[in-house]
Amino acid sequence: MAAAAGAAAAPAPVNLRLGDLVWGKLGRYPPWPGKIVNPPKDLKKPRGKKCFFVKFFGTEDHAWIKVEQLKPYHAHKEDMIKINKGKRFQQAVDAVEEFLKKAKGKDQASHNSTEEKNRQNSSEERGKSAGEEKRKAGLSEGKPKKRVSSVSSERGSKSPLKRTYEQSPRKRGRPPKDEKDLTIPESSTVKRMMTGTVAGFKWPPSVSEPVKEGDPHFHHFLLSQTEKPAVCYQAISKKLKVCEEETGSTSIQAADSTAINGSITPTDKKLDKEFDPLAEAFPDPQPGVATNRIGFLGLGLMGSGIVSNLLKMGHTVTVWNRTAEKCDLFIQEGARLGRTPAEVVSTCDITFACVSDPKAAKDVLGPSGVLQGIRPGKCYVDMSTVDADTVTELAQVIVSRGGRFLEAPVSGNQQLSNDGMLVILAAGDRGLYEDCSSCFQAMGKTSFFLGEVGNAAKMMLIVNMVQGSFMATIAEGLTLAQVTGQSQQTLLDILNQGQLASIFLDQKCQNILQGNFKPDFYLKYIQKDLRLAIALGDSVNHPTPMAAAANEVYKRAKALDQSDNDMSAVYRAYIH
């Protein structure tokens, strides 16, 4: 009975098709308004469940979205507006409404024009009919004879009917005037059907401009929103996982994650505007210019999620990893394989690197490495968490070869990386930072530009110092509760109701209570960051006693063979 009731309550499947307006849900991003369009010819459809390719309003994002993550626009509009009050979201909804208004106005104008022509034609036909009847009546009374006589004096004696056709000779293949008049309404209607649809999809510039001027978040989706899809699609739209996480596929793009338009567009071929009227609403940032090819070095916990989202958002990505087997999954998803870092850099316009530590960051430049592929105009973005001295050295070497350099470490963990919700801290070449906007929108929730090279490294170490110290304090509190006979679960419940409540606190405590230390952020890396942060303090004679104490606890956890577990495994340093 229960099963039957559940089945009966299940919503009926919605039939969607090309051209439909929809709400698309990508990963953890809020639903975002978009339109089902034809994908670029070279963009492969994800395997598995049925997906549609969606372009999102108010952003430059697009993504493959699973059919179960799509809902008809009009049927769910009111519900969506109630749960999302973001400014970018409202701009996207306004864009949809303006689009519908313009389309309706053009259709109405075309319809009115057709009706007017029909009325005119009908009036002409009535006039002709009346004239014909009058002429026939005159013939029956003998009146035409006088008229024929007059004509005969000028052109000879020809019958009225014959005279009419000879005075207006009919050209080959063209109908007589009254036949042609009868075809006008049909011709006008056909013309409206052929051209009205395309014209109706023009995007009002006034709607898209506010989004472009917004702060750089990837709201999309803003897909931000998320408030993905702007620096981030744009949209997309919220990678735009705009396809669910299989979408993973594309993220909606997401929505709030949608970011400011950059010079990089997600796909390297333009949508066919002849068959995709909506393409006019999402113009290419650089019409007629080939899009940038993206390279990525390092497929660890963070890099894997980043690459997945870049692919989902339609970027062309070439990957390399020290352990080549890790590339296989991404090759299946559409990435290209680079045999060496040098090959990746030489074949790509912008290459990102996300490796474990300062030594790895330097090693990737070495033999068959990045420097071998760098030449004037090539761009290199290091996303590793390293110290300021290391990143400054990298920048100097890259720039000396004519390349452009940007540091862009990320704050987050594996889950946030997979969801396209990282926070990106950037410094260095400001122009390159802007060129990377669509990539940042695919991988992150927001981004910060911090000025000259080295600033992002310093800020990232400070952020992770706070996070690492907090984690050690959480572990210390839970063990103290246990040894004093207090419930650890009750302690967590209390903390979750207070000012310290956060996703981080809840997740890490749950890891400890469940004894699940599957890595989301490796313990060995947070210890490395604490060590570098302490050194940063020492370089400016600033004491960091809390970080130093936390660092010792992590070192003990490493000695207990916890290096490759999650940072929450620091708890074990207190119970052994």
Side-chain angles (χ1 to χ4, degrees):
M1 288 288 289
V14 177
N15 293 322
L16 298 174
R17 60 184 179 179
L18 187 68
D20 283 353
L21 295 179
V22 295
W23 295 97
K25 180 75 170 65
L26 183 60
R28 296 171 61 183
Y29 296 109
W32 206 256
K35 184 177 185 296
I36 296 175
V37 300
N38 281 318
K41 296 178 181 178
D42 64 332
L43 191 60
K44 296 181 180 179
K45 187 173 184 178
R47 297 178 180 178
K49 297 185 177 181
K50 185 176 181 181
C51 291
F52 283 105
F53 193 72
V54 177
K55 275 237 176 184
F56 295 93
F57 284 85
T59 76
E60 288 297 328
D61 295 323
H62 60 249
W64 286 106
I65 304 295
K66 290 181 180 179
V67 67
E68 60 265 30
Q69 298 297 326
L70 295 171
K71 293 183 178 180
Y73 176 80
H74 295 288
H76 297 274
K77 176 184 173 182
E78 292 185 5
D79 292 338
M80 296 303 178
I81 292 177
K82 288 179 182 178
I83 62 177
N84 195 330
K85 303 296 183 180
K87 179 180 179 181
R88 291 186 181 281
F89 175 83
Q90 187 57 53
Q91 288 176 337
V93 173
D94 290 344
V96 178
E97 296 305 310
E98 186 67 18
F99 159 70
L100 291 172
K101 180 180 178 182
K102 293 286 185 181
K104 182 177 181 181
K106 288 184 177 293
D107 285 343
Q108 184 62 44
S110 179
H111 179 68
N112 291 342
S113 177
T114 299
E115 288 188 341
E116 180 62 25
K117 285 182 179 292
N118 286 335
R119 284 195 295 269
Q120 292 177 358
N121 293 331
S122 177
S123 178
E124 290 178 8
E125 289 303 315
R126 287 196 299 269
K128 289 179 182 179
S129 297
E132 185 67 15
E133 291 178 1
K134 186 175 182 180
R135 187 179 67 81
K136 290 180 179 179
L139 282 173
S140 64
E141 297 173 3
K143 294 180 180 179
K145 291 182 178 179
K146 182 178 181 179
R147 184 177 180 184
V148 172
S149 175
S150 174
V151 173
S152 298
S153 66
E154 299 174 7
R155 296 189 170 224
S157 57
K158 298 178 181 178
S159 69
L161 186 60
K162 186 175 182 181
R163 178 187 60 78
T164 301
Y165 280 95
E166 289 189 2
Q167 281 185 321
S168 301
R170 175 178 174 182
K171 294 183 180 179
R172 179 177 298 178
R174 185 173 296 178
K177 186 174 187 302
D178 44 343
E179 289 182 31
K180 183 178 178 182
D181 288 343
L182 290 173
T183 64
I184 288 177
E186 179 181 357
S187 176
S188 176
T189 300
V190 172
K191 183 176 180 180
R192 178 174 64 84
M193 293 175 65
M194 294 292 289
T195 64
T197 303
V198 175
F201 279 96
K202 288 186 178 179
W203 198 279
S206 61
V207 174
S208 60
E209 288 173 2
V211 177
K212 294 181 180 179
E213 295 174 357
D215 66 355
H217 281 117
F218 185 47
H219 270 38
H220 268 213
F221 90 82
L222 163 248
L223 168 221
S224 51
Q225 327 119 59
T226 59
E227 258 191 48
K228 177 183 200 205
V231 151
C232 196
Y233 237 74
Q234 271 184 2
I236 306 23
S237 46
K238 322 267 110 219
K239 291 340 184 69
L240 277 50
K241 330 177 180 171
V242 135
C243 243
E244 196 242 336
E245 274 127 84
E246 180 179 350
T247 251
S249 169
T250 7
S251 270
I252 280 190
Q253 223 29 296
D256 248 8
S257 203
T258 296
I260 295 176
N261 296 334
S263 63
I264 305 174
T265 54
T267 56
D268 55 4
K269 286 191 177 181
K270 318 302 184 217
L271 290 173
D272 188 347
K273 294 185 180 181
E274 179 179 355
F275 297 99
D276 177 22
L278 190 61
E280 292 187 24
F282 298 87
D284 298 310
Q286 297 181 0
V289 179
T291 57
N292 291 318
R293 296 160 296 180
I294 305 302
F296 205 95
L297 312 176
L299 300 174
L301 290 183
M302 307 298 277
S304 293
I306 291 173
V307 170
S308 180
N309 282 312
L310 286 172
L311 290 171
K312 293 170 185 176
M313 295 299 292
H315 290 280
T316 299
V317 186
T318 300
V319 297
W320 173 88
N321 191 71
R322 186 171 50 186
T323 306
E325 291 76 15
K326 286 189 176 181
C327 297
D328 294 344
L329 175 62
F330 301 100
I331 301 303
Q332 294 175 14
E333 292 182 359
R336 301 172 182 176
L337 177 64
R339 292 170 295 181
T340 65
E343 182 178 296
V344 174
V345 174
S346 64
T347 58
C348 296
D349 302 302
I350 301 177
T351 299
F352 294 85
C354 187
V355 295
S356 59
D357 54 33
K359 182 178 183 303
K362 294 177 181 178
D363 288 347
V364 78
L365 269 65
S368 297
V370 171
L371 293 183
Q372 187 174 325
I374 285 291
R375 59 179 183 271
K378 292 290 184 180
C379 303
Y380 189 69
V381 181
D382 191 277
M383 307 189 78
S384 313
T385 300
V386 297
D387 58 283
D389 290 342
T390 295
V391 78
T392 299
E393 181 180 340
L394 297 179
Q396 291 173 345
V397 176
I398 297 296
V399 174
S400 69
R401 301 292 183 93
R404 301 167 64 194
F405 182 85
L406 183 74
E407 59 168 329
V410 295
S411 178
N413 52 34
Q414 183 182 33
Q415 185 61 53
L416 294 177
S417 177
N418 292 341
D419 292 342
M421 295 291 284
L422 296 170
V423 175
I424 300 152
L425 311 182
D429 188 322
R430 180 62 186 254
L432 179 52
Y433 169 73
E434 294 173 352
D435 288 345
C436 291
S437 64
S438 77
C439 292
F440 289 159
Q441 108 181 19
M443 64 182 74
K445 175 173 64 174
T446 188
S447 66
F448 295 85
F449 184 77
L450 304 177
E452 64 182 20
V453 170
N455 286 345
K458 294 173 184 177
M459 184 66 80
M460 189 73 260
L461 291 176
I462 295 170
V463 169
N464 283 358
M465 179 189 75
V466 173
Q467 181 174 254
S469 299
F470 183 42
M471 181 67 254
T473 300
I474 292 172
E476 192 171 283
L478 287 172
T479 53
L480 181 59
Q482 183 180 38
V483 299
T484 58
Q486 305 304 307
S487 166
Q488 292 179 321
Q489 181 61 58
T490 300
L491 172 61
L492 173 58
D493 293 341
I494 293 171
L495 291 174
N496 277 335
Q497 294 299 315
Q499 295 179 329
L500 294 178
S502 65
I503 295 176
F504 178 83
L505 171 70
D506 185 63
Q507 288 181 340
K508 297 309 178 185
C509 285
Q510 292 293 348
N511 288 351
I512 292 173
L513 295 180
Q514 297 170 16
N516 176 16
F517 299 109
K518 180 180 178 181
D520 194 42
F521 191 119
Y522 283 117
L523 184 144
K524 61 185 177 184
Y525 292 157
I526 196 67
Q527 189 274 321
K528 175 261 297 182
D529 294 345
L530 281 166
R531 172 173 57 80
L532 294 176
I534 293 169
L536 176 62
D538 290 343
S539 69
V540 292
N541 296 317
H542 181 77
T544 52
M546 299 297 293
N551 185 46
E552 293 303 315
V553 181
Y554 284 101
K555 288 166 63 176
R556 173 170 170 73
K558 288 178 64 177
L560 295 171
D561 200 26
Q562 300 300 309
S563 292
D564 292 326
N565 281 332
D566 186 72
M567 68 163 72
S568 54
V570 69
Y571 172 80
R572 289 179 171 171
Y574 286 97
I575 60 177
H576 286 84

